[in-house]
Amino acid sequence: MSRTADYTIQGFLYQFNKALLGVLQSSETDVITIEGIIEDVEIESITGIEAIQCKYHETVDNFSYSSIYKPLLQMMQHYVKNPSNNITYVLFAHFPDVKKDEININKDFLEKALESKDQKYSKYISDVTGNINIQAFLSKLKFVIGPSYENIVKEVLNCFEGLGFSKDDIETLFYPNAINAIAELSIRHDVSQRKITKNKLLSDLKSIKKTAISHWTLSLKSKQIFLTSRKKQLKQ
């Protein structure tokens, strides 16, 4: 497999891990949509909707502001078309050379994005220009520098442990099956079938006794660990 393909798969897995983290950290009444109508992950709670767009830029050597024009313009376009909806827009992006608080998304930056001459942004810019209160949009926007792939996986594993799952079985059974479950939700055509709750996911995981072997689980870095475990399961 080429390095480009490897990073592409890792980008999807990064998004699946972020979605899984959202489920594990949610409250019992929250509903999480994978590949929602608005963004990659949507967390619907009693206070509103948190719409998260997840970007993984491991191959980018140096950060450039133009690399986040598109997701921000997409969010502004959605905001213009849905001004009364109680939505918080979250851009969750990983860049290997950027630390937290190094990037400031402000009014000047968004105005600069709207002045872009790049034709692939023209539809978004046309919809937004003259129709948006940028300061009001900024009050609904969060920009989060995400951790590395390895660290977001650690966060997920720690969440499982904090929820009382057996440490010995997390990497070999619960984690790969959870990633597989998120991946399967993401490809369902009907958005209503891409919804999950924390209780539903945990209940499903506790009933599974074998590790799912799929394209996605075989791409995990813990692949060798759970394949060894799967071998033992088959022997039994």
Side-chain angles (χ1 to χ4, degrees):
M1 184 185 293
S2 71
R3 286 183 66 81
T4 302
D6 190 47
Y7 280 126
T8 299
I9 290 170
Q10 204 157 310
F12 280 112
L13 286 171
Y14 190 87
Q15 181 181 318
F16 295 158
N17 274 283
K18 175 58 180 170
L20 178 53
L21 200 57
V23 177
L24 297 177
Q25 293 177 338
S26 66
S27 71
E28 291 185 359
T29 56
D30 293 350
V31 177
I32 295 85
T33 306
I34 313 301
E35 295 293 344
I37 295 172
I38 309 168
E39 297 296 354
D40 299 326
V41 184
E42 295 166 16
I43 302 173
E44 188 174 354
S45 67
I46 56 172
T47 59
I49 296 173
E50 187 174 63
I52 305 165
Q53 187 161 164
C54 190
K55 297 295 179 186
Y56 180 73
H57 295 281
E58 188 61 47
T59 57
V60 175
D61 292 327
N62 296 297
F63 171 79
S64 67
Y65 277 95
S66 61
S67 65
I68 55 174
Y69 277 0
K70 184 177 179 179
L72 289 171
L73 288 167
Q74 288 174 325
M75 289 174 175
M76 284 192 280
Q77 181 194 50
H78 188 274
Y79 172 74
V80 163
K81 293 182 177 181
N82 303 272
S84 60
N85 288 7
N86 188 11
I87 301 169
T88 299
Y89 298 90
V90 181
L91 177 54
F92 186 90
H94 170 71
F95 294 89
D97 64 332
V98 177
K99 295 181 175 62
K100 290 181 180 179
D101 303 323
E102 283 188 12
I103 302 169
N104 181 27
I105 306 299
N106 55 26
K107 187 171 182 285
D108 289 342
F109 172 74
L110 293 181
E111 286 176 345
K112 189 175 179 181
L114 288 169
E115 291 168 2
S116 172
K117 303 304 180 188
D118 195 320
Q119 284 303 303
K120 63 178 177 281
Y121 305 144
S122 60
K123 173 59 178 168
Y124 309 124
I125 292 170
S126 173
D127 287 345
V128 173
T129 302
N131 298 314
I132 190 169
N133 179 330
I134 291 181
Q135 214 57 55
F137 171 73
L138 280 169
S139 71
K140 291 177 171 286
L141 175 69
K142 291 181 185 177
F143 181 65
V144 180
I145 293 296
S148 67
Y149 178 82
E150 288 75 12
N151 284 339
I152 200 169
V153 170
K154 285 178 185 175
E155 283 187 49
V156 171
L157 300 180
N158 288 338
C159 262
F160 272 116
E161 197 172 345
L163 289 167
F165 283 81
S166 163
K167 190 172 182 178
D168 293 337
D169 293 330
I170 291 171
E171 273 197 80
T172 59
L173 182 64
F174 300 119
Y175 171 63
N177 281 327
I179 289 293
N180 191 61
I182 296 294
E184 287 190 347
L185 284 173
S186 74
I187 60 173
R188 293 180 180 174
H189 294 294
D190 188 339
V191 68
S192 66
Q193 294 181 349
R194 298 199 297 272
K195 296 179 182 291
I196 190 77
T197 64
K198 179 179 180 177
N199 286 348
K200 174 74 167 78
L201 178 68
L202 298 185
S203 175
D204 288 348
L205 290 176
K206 287 172 182 176
S207 69
I208 297 172
K209 304 302 178 189
K210 294 180 181 178
T211 309
I213 303 297
S214 70
H215 170 71
W216 297 111
T217 57
L218 289 175
S219 299
L220 296 175
K221 294 198 172 181
S222 54
K223 163 186 167 182
Q224 202 52 53
I225 299 171
F226 76 73
L227 280 179
T228 302
S229 172
R230 187 75 169 91
K231 213 171 169 183
K232 291 177 182 175
Q233 291 169 6
L234 289 169
K235 281 182 180 178
Q236 291 169 8

